[in-house]
């Protein structure tokens, strides 16, 4: 494949990656602030910050989901073209891609939720997370989560609806963090196979497994 996916990895992945970093920075900063003494000691300021933070996190969530959709669509366009490629290795790649996608990402709760949330934001409304006081393994504190009642009225797929109904609140920060980690490994694998196949194949990767290659710092610094 050589540089077949170069444009996706340089452009589409970069946009998606930056959208994730901006989402994470926003939710981390607002979560830290609403748990600080400055705001805990002043109820009015705490409520105002919760509202302002919820709106900003909703905006960042929308950007993340939109960037994800663009990345997926751009990747599929290339994969579809490879089905007609003159190279046997490249014609076989779409089947390999589909199997890897199925095993690692496609039907996960995180992926289904982000897919449906993007549709909801595009066609119905953009949900805004609210403040919840949560007890978990990291201790107790305020977190920005979606309230199930705010998102229930939509044509969610069955897996997403079960997830919503099973939770008293939807931890959007944790959910997007888990989704991004799965996406990063999947696209790291695409980059690895891109470097192994086609006219620009890297001979140094002959006999190298993906697990060996993905531990390299170069990809992590680049993307």
């Amino acid at each position: 494949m050589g540089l077949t996916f170069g444009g996706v990895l340089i452009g589409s992945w970069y946009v998606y990656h930056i959208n994730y970093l901006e989402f994470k920075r926003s939710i981390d900063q607002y979560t830290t602030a609403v748990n600080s003494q400055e705001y805990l000691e002043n109820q009015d300021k705490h409520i105002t910050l919760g509202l302002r933070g919820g709106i900003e996190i909703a905006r960042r969530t929308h950007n993340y989901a939109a960037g994800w959709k663009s990345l997926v669509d751009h990747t599929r366009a290339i994969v579809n073209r490879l089905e007609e490629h003159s190279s046997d290795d490249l014609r076989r790649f779409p089947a390999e891609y589909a199997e890897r996608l199925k095993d690692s990402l496609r039907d996960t709760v995180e992926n289904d939720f982000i897919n449906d949330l993007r549709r909801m934001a595009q066609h119905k409304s953009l949900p805004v997370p609210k403040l919840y006081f949560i007890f978990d393994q990291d201790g107790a504190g305020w977190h920005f989560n979606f309230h199930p009642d705010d998102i229930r009225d939509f044509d969610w797929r069955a897996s997403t609806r079960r997830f919503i109904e099973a939770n008293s609140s939807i931890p959007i920060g944790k959910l997007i963090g888990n989704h991004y980690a799965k996406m990063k490994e999947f696209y790291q694998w695409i980059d690895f196979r891109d470097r192994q196949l086609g006219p620009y194949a890297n001979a140094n990767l002959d006999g190298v497994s993906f697990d060996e290659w993905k531990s390299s710092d170069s990809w992590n610094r680049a993307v």
Side-chain angles (χ1 to χ4, degrees):
M1 253 176 317
L3 300 178
T4 302
F5 286 94
V8 167
L9 294 168
I10 293 171
S12 306
W13 169 265
Y14 176 77
V15 171
Y16 165 75
H17 171 66
I18 295 301
N19 285 350
Y20 168 71
L21 294 181
E22 291 177 346
F23 166 83
K24 187 176 187 304
R25 181 166 56 248
S26 289
I27 197 168
D28 286 351
Q29 288 176 346
Y30 277 105
T31 299
T32 297
V34 296
N35 286 285
S36 67
Q37 285 301 117
E38 176 186 355
Y39 290 95
L40 290 174
E41 293 174 350
N42 188 315
Q43 186 178 28
D44 289 341
K45 287 180 65 175
H46 194 261
I47 292 173
T48 299
L49 184 66
L51 294 173
R52 189 167 70 243
I55 293 170
E56 178 62 16
I57 292 166
R59 184 174 76 87
R60 299 296 189 182
T61 300
H62 171 273
N63 290 350
Y64 175 84
W68 166 83
K69 177 61 174 172
S70 294
L71 174 61
V72 169
D73 287 349
H74 298 166
T75 304
R76 285 174 179 164
I78 295 174
V79 171
N80 290 340
R81 289 201 300 270
L82 291 178
E83 293 178 350
E84 306 298 326
H85 204 281
S86 58
S87 165
D88 290 342
D89 285 340
L90 297 185
R91 284 200 308 273
R92 285 193 289 266
F93 180 77
E96 183 184 358
Y97 167 90
E99 187 66 22
R100 184 86 184 189
L101 182 66
K102 176 175 177 288
D103 290 343
S104 65
L105 182 63
R106 189 184 67 191
D107 295 324
T108 63
V109 169
E110 294 90 350
N111 204 60
D112 285 351
F113 188 89
I114 295 301
N115 195 354
D116 284 347
L117 184 64
R118 182 202 61 82
R119 290 193 302 109
M120 183 180 189
Q122 182 177 3
H123 299 295
K124 186 176 187 292
S125 64
L126 178 63
V128 175
K130 297 177 178 178
L131 280 177
Y132 281 81
F133 194 78
I134 304 291
F135 292 89
D136 58 22
Q137 65 270 22
D138 298 322
W142 292 96
H143 295 270
F144 289 90
N145 291 358
F146 286 136
H147 193 295
D149 289 346
D150 293 341
I151 62 176
R152 184 175 284 114
D153 184 22
F154 186 65
D155 62 332
W156 302 97
R157 67 193 69 202
S159 60
T160 310
R161 184 169 295 281
R162 285 194 299 270
F163 175 73
I164 293 171
E165 297 299 339
N167 289 274
S168 58
S169 67
I170 310 302
I172 188 61
K174 184 177 295 184
L175 193 147
I176 286 182
N178 291 342
H179 183 252
Y180 175 80
K182 294 177 188 293
M183 287 286 291
K184 181 178 179 180
E185 176 150 334
F186 185 69
Y187 275 85
Q188 192 173 2
W189 172 79
I190 289 178
D191 187 22
F192 171 67
R193 295 298 287 139
D194 197 51
R195 293 167 188 261
Q196 282 189 319
L197 301 174
Y200 302 101
N202 185 343
N204 294 328
L205 294 179
D206 290 347
V208 176
S209 71
F210 171 60
D211 287 337
E212 291 170 333
W213 183 80
K214 75 177 182 180
S215 62
S216 67
D217 290 335
S218 58
W219 196 90
N220 292 320
R221 286 197 300 268
V223 298

